Amino acid sequence: HLTELVYAAGAGDRIVGTVDTSDHPAAATKIPRIGDVTRLDAERLLALRPDLVIAWGDGTPAEQLALLRRLGVRSLAMQQNALADVPDAVEQLGRLFGTEPVASAEARRLRDELARLRARYAQAKPLRVFYQVWDAPLYTLGGTQVATEMLAVCGARNVFADERHSAFAVDAESVYAAAPDVVVLAGSAAETVAWQARWAERPRLAAAFVALDPDLANRMGPRIVAGTAVLCGKLDAVRASKVAS
């Protein structure tokens, strides 16, 4: 998501190295890889002679941040927790790279789209949603996670919004007790098929199932706004189907 934010700020051509999972936009796939989110290759990092390393505030292990300090590499830790933090981060990077015109325009576009979505679904019929991110064990997200805010933008409520843990395991009985109107399956295409098949093996859950690309929902980059729009559209289709039935 940090790679995506730098591109959104108009500075993608400044990136000399990134992590294995950086695959958007397409140009990002051509950037040299120097490790993953948990471990960087110090030799390869130093060989690139970066002026700055941008790190994920909560996601980069403390020992990796300590490594950067020992190597004497300047670093900037960035953390986005809410939807509004994404355009703010784009603007911050624009100021850092001197690409303010591009970054400001993108930040404005993101804010305008979020405002449009909030206005459109402000009066929508409320839906109760179970947001699934894994199946074995059954994992979901709590009230502090941005998915809960995305659901709220769409006029829906996370049935586990009162849980303060960001991510946690639940049992199927707790999901049945929560009586969701919708189950959002935020997994890959193959995972979504498998998860829905697993629900079909359990006693019937009176809920609609919708799939959501995790790259649009779990990465705190600019595509999360598009992911929110997709989520809102799918939930609204559920509302329409309930009216029709």
Side-chain angles (χ1 to χ4, degrees):
H1 75 286
L2 294 173
T3 297
E4 294 184 33
L5 285 168
V6 174
Y7 271 96
D13 60 345
R14 315 282 185 88
I15 304 175
V16 296
T18 189
V19 293
D20 294 346
T21 49
S22 292
D23 57 6
H24 187 85
T29 62
K30 298 178 173 61
I31 300 171
R33 268 51 181 159
I34 59 165
D36 58 31
V37 71
T38 61
R39 184 163 299 279
L40 301 175
D41 184 322
E43 288 189 11
R44 294 173 69 188
L45 173 63
L46 290 175
L48 293 172
R49 302 175 63 188
D51 300 304
L52 175 71
V53 172
I54 301 176
W56 178 14
D58 279 356
T60 302
E63 61 270 19
Q64 294 299 293
L65 295 175
L67 172 64
L68 294 175
R69 289 192 292 271
R70 290 198 304 273
L71 294 175
V73 179
R74 179 187 171 204
S75 63
L76 169 66
M78 299 186 72
Q79 181 63 34
Q80 299 78 42
N81 298 307
L83 293 174
D85 295 340
V86 174
D88 288 351
V90 172
E91 286 183 329
Q92 178 185 356
L93 290 168
R95 292 190 295 270
L96 177 68
F97 288 108
T99 56
E100 289 98 329
V102 174
S104 296
E106 176 63 4
R108 183 167 55 252
R109 183 190 71 80
L110 294 170
R111 292 189 182 108
D112 288 349
E113 175 64 4
L114 283 171
R116 183 189 71 79
L117 291 170
R118 291 183 192 278
R120 177 174 179 180
Y121 295 102
Q123 304 303 318
K125 180 178 173 58
L127 291 172
R128 293 171 53 78
V129 176
F130 173 61
Y131 193 95
Q132 181 175 338
V133 296
W134 197 248
D135 183 61
L138 197 56
Y139 241 75
T140 190
L141 304 175
T144 60
Q145 225 280 344
V146 71
T148 297
E149 183 185 4
M150 293 169 66
L151 290 169
V153 169
C154 301
R157 174 175 168 78
N158 178 355
V159 294
F160 289 104
D162 292 337
E163 174 61 56
R164 306 314 296 170
H165 292 294
S166 178
F168 53 97
V170 295
D171 54 36
E173 288 72 20
S174 297
V175 179
Y176 285 102
D181 301 302
V182 184
V183 174
V184 172
L185 304 171
S188 68
E191 288 167 345
T192 296
V193 171
W195 297 353
Q196 192 156 359
R198 181 71 183 92
W199 278 108
E201 296 170 356
R202 299 182 175 111
R204 183 177 179 274
L205 180 65
F209 286 81
V210 300
L212 184 64
D213 182 349
D215 285 352
L216 296 181
N218 299 344
R219 295 187 183 189
M220 290 299 292
R223 287 191 295 165
I224 201 166
V225 177
T228 303
V230 170
L231 176 61
C232 290
K234 293 193 173 192
L235 293 178
D236 215 34
V238 172
R239 291 188 185 95
S241 67
K242 286 179 177 292
V243 171
S245 61

PDB file of all heavy atoms in Angstrom, residues 97-121:
ATOM      1  N   PHE A  97       8.000  14.725  -1.813  1.00  0.00           N
ATOM      2  CA  PHE A  97       8.651  14.532  -3.106  1.00  0.00           C
ATOM      3  C   PHE A  97       8.593  15.763  -4.009  1.00  0.00           C
ATOM      4  O   PHE A  97       9.156  15.737  -5.104  1.00  0.00           O
ATOM      5  CB  PHE A  97       8.007  13.345  -3.834  1.00  0.00           C
ATOM      6  CG  PHE A  97       8.339  12.009  -3.237  1.00  0.00           C
ATOM      7  CD1 PHE A  97       7.373  11.283  -2.538  1.00  0.00           C
ATOM      8  CD2 PHE A  97       9.606  11.460  -3.348  1.00  0.00           C
ATOM      9  CE1 PHE A  97       7.668  10.044  -1.986  1.00  0.00           C
ATOM     10  CE2 PHE A  97       9.913  10.234  -2.797  1.00  0.00           C
ATOM     11  CZ  PHE A  97       8.939   9.522  -2.103  1.00  0.00           C
ATOM     12  N   GLY A  98       7.886  16.797  -3.573  1.00  0.00           N
ATOM     13  CA  GLY A  98       7.759  17.977  -4.417  1.00  0.00           C
ATOM     14  C   GLY A  98       6.824  17.760  -5.594  1.00  0.00           C
ATOM     15  O   GLY A  98       6.994  18.366  -6.653  1.00  0.00           O
ATOM     16  N   THR A  99       5.828  16.902  -5.403  1.00  0.00           N
ATOM     17  CA  THR A  99       4.857  16.609  -6.469  1.00  0.00           C
ATOM     18  C   THR A  99       3.457  17.046  -6.029  1.00  0.00           C
ATOM     19  O   THR A  99       2.465  16.361  -6.293  1.00  0.00           O
ATOM     20  CB  THR A  99       4.860  15.106  -6.810  1.00  0.00           C
ATOM     21  OG1 THR A  99       4.602  14.355  -5.606  1.00  0.00           O
ATOM     22  CG2 THR A  99       6.194  14.677  -7.397  1.00  0.00           C
ATOM     23  N   GLU A 100       3.388  18.196  -5.358  1.00  0.00           N
ATOM     24  CA  GLU A 100       2.122  18.646  -4.775  1.00  0.00           C
ATOM     25  C   GLU A 100       0.963  18.738  -5.767  1.00  0.00           C
ATOM     26  O   GLU A 100      -0.165  18.352  -5.419  1.00  0.00           O
ATOM     27  CB  GLU A 100       2.296  19.989  -4.069  1.00  0.00           C
ATOM     28  CG  GLU A 100       3.097  19.931  -2.789  1.00  0.00           C
ATOM     29  CD  GLU A 100       4.544  20.325  -3.015  1.00  0.00           C
ATOM     30  OE1 GLU A 100       5.056  20.071  -4.136  1.00  0.00           O
ATOM     31  OE2 GLU A 100       5.146  20.878  -2.087  1.00  0.00           O
ATOM     32  N   PRO A 101       1.157  19.233  -7.001  1.00  0.00           N
ATOM     33  CA  PRO A 101       0.006  19.342  -7.906  1.00  0.00           C
ATOM     34  C   PRO A 101      -0.668  17.992  -8.170  1.00  0.00           C
ATOM     35  O   PRO A 101      -1.897  17.881  -8.131  1.00  0.00           O
ATOM     36  CB  PRO A 101       0.611  19.933  -9.184  1.00  0.00           C
ATOM     37  CG  PRO A 101       1.791  20.719  -8.697  1.00  0.00           C
ATOM     38  CD  PRO A 101       2.356  19.887  -7.578  1.00  0.00           C
ATOM     39  N   VAL A 102       0.143  16.966  -8.430  1.00  0.00           N
ATOM     40  CA  VAL A 102      -0.417  15.636  -8.677  1.00  0.00           C
ATOM     41  C   VAL A 102      -1.047  15.077  -7.406  1.00  0.00           C
ATOM     42  O   VAL A 102      -2.178  14.566  -7.419  1.00  0.00           O
ATOM     43  CB  VAL A 102       0.671  14.673  -9.185  1.00  0.00           C
ATOM     44  CG1 VAL A 102       0.123  13.249  -9.299  1.00  0.00           C
ATOM     45  CG2 VAL A 102       1.203  15.134 -10.533  1.00  0.00           C
ATOM     46  N   ALA A 103      -0.333  15.180  -6.301  1.00  0.00           N
ATOM     47  CA  ALA A 103      -0.816  14.621  -5.044  1.00  0.00           C
ATOM     48  C   ALA A 103      -2.082  15.324  -4.569  1.00  0.00           C
ATOM     49  O   ALA A 103      -3.025  14.673  -4.097  1.00  0.00           O
ATOM     50  CB  ALA A 103       0.272  14.711  -3.977  1.00  0.00           C
ATOM     51  N   SER A 104      -2.126  16.637  -4.686  1.00  0.00           N
ATOM     52  CA  SER A 104      -3.304  17.382  -4.233  1.00  0.00           C
ATOM     53  C   SER A 104      -4.532  17.017  -5.049  1.00  0.00           C
ATOM     54  O   SER A 104      -5.638  16.870  -4.508  1.00  0.00           O
ATOM     55  CB  SER A 104      -3.039  18.893  -4.316  1.00  0.00           C
ATOM     56  OG  SER A 104      -2.010  19.264  -3.430  1.00  0.00           O
ATOM     57  N   ALA A 105      -4.343  16.858  -6.355  1.00  0.00           N
ATOM     58  CA  ALA A 105      -5.474  16.493  -7.212  1.00  0.00           C
ATOM     59  C   ALA A 105      -5.997  15.106  -6.859  1.00  0.00           C
ATOM     60  O   ALA A 105      -7.214  14.871  -6.810  1.00  0.00           O
ATOM     61  CB  ALA A 105      -5.059  16.552  -8.674  1.00  0.00           C
ATOM     62  N   GLU A 106      -5.085  14.163  -6.609  1.00  0.00           N
ATOM     63  CA  GLU A 106      -5.506  12.807  -6.258  1.00  0.00           C
ATOM     64  C   GLU A 106      -6.182  12.788  -4.887  1.00  0.00           C
ATOM     65  O   GLU A 106      -7.196  12.107  -4.699  1.00  0.00           O
ATOM     66  CB  GLU A 106      -4.307  11.858  -6.277  1.00  0.00           C
ATOM     67  CG  GLU A 106      -4.601  10.434  -5.843  1.00  0.00           C
ATOM     68  CD  GLU A 106      -5.580   9.694  -6.739  1.00  0.00           C
ATOM     69  OE1 GLU A 106      -6.005  10.251  -7.772  1.00  0.00           O
ATOM     70  OE2 GLU A 106      -5.932   8.539  -6.408  1.00  0.00           O
ATOM     71  N   ALA A 107      -5.627  13.518  -3.929  1.00  0.00           N
ATOM     72  CA  ALA A 107      -6.232  13.572  -2.602  1.00  0.00           C
ATOM     73  C   ALA A 107      -7.636  14.162  -2.672  1.00  0.00           C
ATOM     74  O   ALA A 107      -8.565  13.675  -2.013  1.00  0.00           O
ATOM     75  CB  ALA A 107      -5.360  14.395  -1.658  1.00  0.00           C
ATOM     76  N   ARG A 108      -7.791  15.187  -3.475  1.00  0.00           N
ATOM     77  CA  ARG A 108      -9.122  15.800  -3.634  1.00  0.00           C
ATOM     78  C   ARG A 108     -10.098  14.818  -4.270  1.00  0.00           C
ATOM     79  O   ARG A 108     -11.261  14.719  -3.845  1.00  0.00           O
ATOM     80  CB  ARG A 108      -9.007  17.061  -4.483  1.00  0.00           C
ATOM     81  CG  ARG A 108     -10.312  17.820  -4.657  1.00  0.00           C
ATOM     82  CD  ARG A 108     -10.078  19.212  -5.236  1.00  0.00           C
ATOM     83  NE  ARG A 108      -9.338  19.174  -6.490  1.00  0.00           N
ATOM     84  CZ  ARG A 108      -8.061  19.562  -6.623  1.00  0.00           C
ATOM     85  NH1 ARG A 108      -7.380  20.003  -5.581  1.00  0.00           N
ATOM     86  NH2 ARG A 108      -7.472  19.499  -7.794  1.00  0.00           N
ATOM     87  N   ARG A 109      -9.639  14.069  -5.266  1.00  0.00           N
ATOM     88  CA  ARG A 109     -10.505  13.075  -5.911  1.00  0.00           C
ATOM     89  C   ARG A 109     -10.958  12.027  -4.905  1.00  0.00           C
ATOM     90  O   ARG A 109     -12.145  11.643  -4.874  1.00  0.00           O
ATOM     91  CB  ARG A 109      -9.758  12.400  -7.064  1.00  0.00           C
ATOM     92  CG  ARG A 109     -10.612  11.402  -7.851  1.00  0.00           C
ATOM     93  CD  ARG A 109      -9.774  10.588  -8.821  1.00  0.00           C
ATOM     94  NE  ARG A 109      -8.921   9.627  -8.141  1.00  0.00           N
ATOM     95  CZ  ARG A 109      -9.346   8.438  -7.681  1.00  0.00           C
ATOM     96  NH1 ARG A 109     -10.618   8.088  -7.807  1.00  0.00           N
ATOM     97  NH2 ARG A 109      -8.500   7.612  -7.089  1.00  0.00           N
ATOM     98  N   LEU A 110     -10.041  11.548  -4.065  1.00  0.00           N
ATOM     99  CA  LEU A 110     -10.369  10.535  -3.078  1.00  0.00           C
ATOM    100  C   LEU A 110     -11.375  11.063  -2.057  1.00  0.00           C
ATOM    101  O   LEU A 110     -12.343  10.389  -1.708  1.00  0.00           O
ATOM    102  CB  LEU A 110      -9.104  10.051  -2.374  1.00  0.00           C
ATOM    103  CG  LEU A 110      -8.096   9.292  -3.253  1.00  0.00           C
ATOM    104  CD1 LEU A 110      -6.782   9.076  -2.493  1.00  0.00           C
ATOM    105  CD2 LEU A 110      -8.667   7.956  -3.704  1.00  0.00           C
ATOM    106  N   ARG A 111     -11.147  12.282  -1.596  1.00  0.00           N
ATOM    107  CA  ARG A 111     -12.068  12.870  -0.615  1.00  0.00           C
ATOM    108  C   ARG A 111     -13.443  13.100  -1.229  1.00  0.00           C
ATOM    109  O   ARG A 111     -14.470  12.861  -0.574  1.00  0.00           O
ATOM    110  CB  ARG A 111     -11.500  14.187  -0.090  1.00  0.00           C
ATOM    111  CG  ARG A 111     -10.251  14.029   0.776  1.00  0.00           C
ATOM    112  CD  ARG A 111      -9.861  15.326   1.454  1.00  0.00           C
ATOM    113  NE  ARG A 111      -8.646  15.150   2.241  1.00  0.00           N
ATOM    114  CZ  ARG A 111      -7.458  15.649   1.914  1.00  0.00           C
ATOM    115  NH1 ARG A 111      -7.329  16.374   0.805  1.00  0.00           N
ATOM    116  NH2 ARG A 111      -6.406  15.434   2.671  1.00  0.00           N
ATOM    117  N   ASP A 112     -13.479  13.562  -2.460  1.00  0.00           N
ATOM    118  CA  ASP A 112     -14.769  13.794  -3.127  1.00  0.00           C
ATOM    119  C   ASP A 112     -15.543  12.496  -3.291  1.00  0.00           C
ATOM    120  O   ASP A 112     -16.770  12.467  -3.107  1.00  0.00           O
ATOM    121  CB  ASP A 112     -14.548  14.454  -4.495  1.00  0.00           C
ATOM    122  CG  ASP A 112     -14.118  15.909  -4.388  1.00  0.00           C
ATOM    123  OD1 ASP A 112     -14.188  16.472  -3.281  1.00  0.00           O
ATOM    124  OD2 ASP A 112     -13.695  16.470  -5.423  1.00  0.00           O
ATOM    125  N   GLU A 113     -14.846  11.420  -3.647  1.00  0.00           N
ATOM    126  CA  GLU A 113     -15.518  10.139  -3.836  1.00  0.00           C
ATOM    127  C   GLU A 113     -16.049   9.604  -2.507  1.00  0.00           C
ATOM    128  O   GLU A 113     -17.169   9.081  -2.440  1.00  0.00           O
ATOM    129  CB  GLU A 113     -14.564   9.124  -4.470  1.00  0.00           C
ATOM    130  CG  GLU A 113     -15.107   7.712  -4.614  1.00  0.00           C
ATOM    131  CD  GLU A 113     -16.305   7.595  -5.556  1.00  0.00           C
ATOM    132  OE1 GLU A 113     -16.696   8.606  -6.170  1.00  0.00           O
ATOM    133  OE2 GLU A 113     -16.870   6.484  -5.654  1.00  0.00           O
ATOM    134  N   LEU A 114     -15.278   9.752  -1.442  1.00  0.00           N
ATOM    135  CA  LEU A 114     -15.749   9.320  -0.130  1.00  0.00           C
ATOM    136  C   LEU A 114     -16.968  10.123   0.308  1.00  0.00           C
ATOM    137  O   LEU A 114     -17.931   9.564   0.851  1.00  0.00           O
ATOM    138  CB  LEU A 114     -14.627   9.454   0.906  1.00  0.00           C
ATOM    139  CG  LEU A 114     -13.546   8.372   0.870  1.00  0.00           C
ATOM    140  CD1 LEU A 114     -12.390   8.736   1.795  1.00  0.00           C
ATOM    141  CD2 LEU A 114     -14.128   7.020   1.272  1.00  0.00           C
ATOM    142  N   ALA A 115     -16.936  11.426   0.067  1.00  0.00           N
ATOM    143  CA  ALA A 115     -18.083  12.270   0.428  1.00  0.00           C
ATOM    144  C   ALA A 115     -19.317  11.871  -0.374  1.00  0.00           C
ATOM    145  O   ALA A 115     -20.442  11.848   0.151  1.00  0.00           O
ATOM    146  CB  ALA A 115     -17.739  13.735   0.194  1.00  0.00           C
ATOM    147  N   ARG A 116     -19.121  11.540  -1.648  1.00  0.00           N
ATOM    148  CA  ARG A 116     -20.241  11.132  -2.494  1.00  0.00           C
ATOM    149  C   ARG A 116     -20.858   9.833  -1.979  1.00  0.00           C
ATOM    150  O   ARG A 116     -22.092   9.695  -1.906  1.00  0.00           O
ATOM    151  CB  ARG A 116     -19.758  10.941  -3.936  1.00  0.00           C
ATOM    152  CG  ARG A 116     -20.866  10.589  -4.924  1.00  0.00           C
ATOM    153  CD  ARG A 116     -20.293  10.203  -6.271  1.00  0.00           C
ATOM    154  NE  ARG A 116     -19.621   8.914  -6.229  1.00  0.00           N
ATOM    155  CZ  ARG A 116     -20.252   7.731  -6.264  1.00  0.00           C
ATOM    156  NH1 ARG A 116     -21.576   7.678  -6.326  1.00  0.00           N
ATOM    157  NH2 ARG A 116     -19.556   6.603  -6.243  1.00  0.00           N
ATOM    158  N   LEU A 117     -20.000   8.890  -1.598  1.00  0.00           N
ATOM    159  CA  LEU A 117     -20.499   7.615  -1.095  1.00  0.00           C
ATOM    160  C   LEU A 117     -21.244   7.802   0.228  1.00  0.00           C
ATOM    161  O   LEU A 117     -22.319   7.208   0.436  1.00  0.00           O
ATOM    162  CB  LEU A 117     -19.345   6.631  -0.905  1.00  0.00           C
ATOM    163  CG  LEU A 117     -18.676   6.124  -2.184  1.00  0.00           C
ATOM    164  CD1 LEU A 117     -17.402   5.353  -1.844  1.00  0.00           C
ATOM    165  CD2 LEU A 117     -19.633   5.239  -2.981  1.00  0.00           C
ATOM    166  N   ARG A 118     -20.695   8.613   1.113  1.00  0.00           N
ATOM    167  CA  ARG A 118     -21.360   8.847   2.403  1.00  0.00           C
ATOM    168  C   ARG A 118     -22.745   9.465   2.184  1.00  0.00           C
ATOM    169  O   ARG A 118     -23.718   9.070   2.843  1.00  0.00           O
ATOM    170  CB  ARG A 118     -20.506   9.761   3.288  1.00  0.00           C
ATOM    171  CG  ARG A 118     -19.218   9.125   3.780  1.00  0.00           C
ATOM    172  CD  ARG A 118     -18.456  10.068   4.705  1.00  0.00           C
ATOM    173  NE  ARG A 118     -17.107   9.616   4.968  1.00  0.00           N
ATOM    174  CZ  ARG A 118     -16.775   8.704   5.867  1.00  0.00           C
ATOM    175  NH1 ARG A 118     -17.711   8.136   6.605  1.00  0.00           N
ATOM    176  NH2 ARG A 118     -15.508   8.353   6.060  1.00  0.00           N
ATOM    177  N   ALA A 119     -22.825  10.422   1.272  1.00  0.00           N
ATOM    178  CA  ALA A 119     -24.106  11.084   1.011  1.00  0.00           C
ATOM    179  C   ALA A 119     -25.094  10.120   0.366  1.00  0.00           C
ATOM    180  O   ALA A 119     -26.283  10.102   0.719  1.00  0.00           O
ATOM    181  CB  ALA A 119     -23.888  12.303   0.119  1.00  0.00           C
ATOM    182  N   ARG A 120     -24.605   9.317  -0.564  1.00  0.00           N
ATOM    183  CA  ARG A 120     -25.507   8.423  -1.297  1.00  0.00           C
ATOM    184  C   ARG A 120     -26.144   7.381  -0.382  1.00  0.00           C
ATOM    185  O   ARG A 120     -27.322   7.040  -0.546  1.00  0.00           O
ATOM    186  CB  ARG A 120     -24.742   7.725  -2.419  1.00  0.00           C
ATOM    187  CG  ARG A 120     -25.602   6.718  -3.188  1.00  0.00           C
ATOM    188  CD  ARG A 120     -24.877   6.156  -4.381  1.00  0.00           C
ATOM    189  NE  ARG A 120     -25.710   5.166  -5.085  1.00  0.00           N
ATOM    190  CZ  ARG A 120     -25.333   4.518  -6.171  1.00  0.00           C
ATOM    191  NH1 ARG A 120     -24.142   4.755  -6.711  1.00  0.00           N
ATOM    192  NH2 ARG A 120     -26.146   3.639  -6.724  1.00  0.00           N
ATOM    193  N   TYR A 121     -25.371   6.860   0.579  1.00  0.00           N
ATOM    194  CA  TYR A 121     -25.874   5.749   1.395  1.00  0.00           C
ATOM    195  C   TYR A 121     -26.260   6.177   2.810  1.00  0.00           C
ATOM    196  O   TYR A 121     -26.535   5.322   3.657  1.00  0.00           O
ATOM    197  CB  TYR A 121     -24.828   4.638   1.440  1.00  0.00           C
ATOM    198  CG  TYR A 121     -24.593   4.028   0.079  1.00  0.00           C
ATOM    199  CD1 TYR A 121     -23.472   4.361  -0.677  1.00  0.00           C
ATOM    200  CD2 TYR A 121     -25.518   3.160  -0.483  1.00  0.00           C
ATOM    201  CE1 TYR A 121     -23.270   3.825  -1.945  1.00  0.00           C
ATOM    202  CE2 TYR A 121     -25.326   2.617  -1.751  1.00  0.00           C
ATOM    203  CZ  TYR A 121     -24.202   2.959  -2.469  1.00  0.00           C
ATOM    204  OH  TYR A 121     -24.014   2.420  -3.734  1.00  0.00           O
TER     205      TYR A 121
END
